[in-house]
């Protein structure tokens, strides 16, 4: 299993970015994908997750941290074997290294320990 993030960069406050997570080595329908981030000097935190293994998280197959809900969207494109995180209305506090992670049937999407595989991360910097 391999995960490779891309799409990070420098963006102004209020701007948008689309992060990509290229996945290989597993079948989409059996895995759940999460996005996490780590800001300088802070702990890693959950951002968003989507289940393609059939998990139901509070009545949905997607789950977002409150700060991401309404601004970020997680999706996938089967043909490209990629998972995306579209981030709109970016704020300085969104500045972090963003990681995608994967595992089979994740019961608790916000728990980093539930994910077996991680990418190397992509830097997002939001300037004010």
């Amino acid at each position: 299993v391999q995960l490779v993030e891309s799409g990070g960069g420098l963006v102004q406050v209020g701007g948008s970015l689309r992060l990509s997570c290229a996945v290989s080595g597993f079948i989409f329908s059996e895995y759940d994908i999460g996005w996490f981030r780590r800001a300088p000097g802070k702990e890693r935190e959950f951002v968003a997750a989507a289940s393609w293994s059939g998990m139901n998280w509070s009545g949905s197959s997607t789950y977002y941290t409150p700060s991401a809900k309404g601004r970020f969207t997680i999706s996938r494109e089967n043909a490209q074997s990629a998972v995306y995180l579209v981030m709109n209305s970016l704020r300085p506090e969104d500045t972090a290294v963003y990681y995608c992670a994967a595992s089979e049937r994740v019961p608790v999407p916000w728990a980093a320990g539930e994910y077996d595989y991680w990418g190397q991360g992509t830097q997002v910097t939001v300037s004010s």
Side-chain angles (χ1 to χ4, degrees), residues 17-91:
L17 280 175
R18 187 182 76 163
L19 304 184
S20 300
C21 175
V23 303
S24 60
F26 63 86
I27 300 171
F28 254 136
S29 61
E30 299 176 356
Y31 276 74
D32 300 332
I33 304 292
W35 283 95
F36 291 77
R37 66 188 182 188
R38 188 192 297 271
K42 294 188 177 181
E43 296 289 320
R44 179 175 52 190
E45 66 174 356
F46 169 77
V47 177
S51 175
W52 289 288
S53 71
M55 297 299 293
N56 186 309
W57 302 317
S58 300
S60 176
S61 62
T62 58
Y63 199 90
Y64 296 90
T65 193
S67 66
K69 200 166 187 179
R71 298 189 300 131
F72 296 1
T73 302
I74 185 171
S75 63
R76 80 177 187 191
E77 183 173 348
N78 290 342
Q80 299 295 325
S81 296
V83 176
Y84 303 108
L85 183 68
V86 175
M87 305 187 296
N88 298 315
S89 303
L90 284 164
R91 307 164 180 167

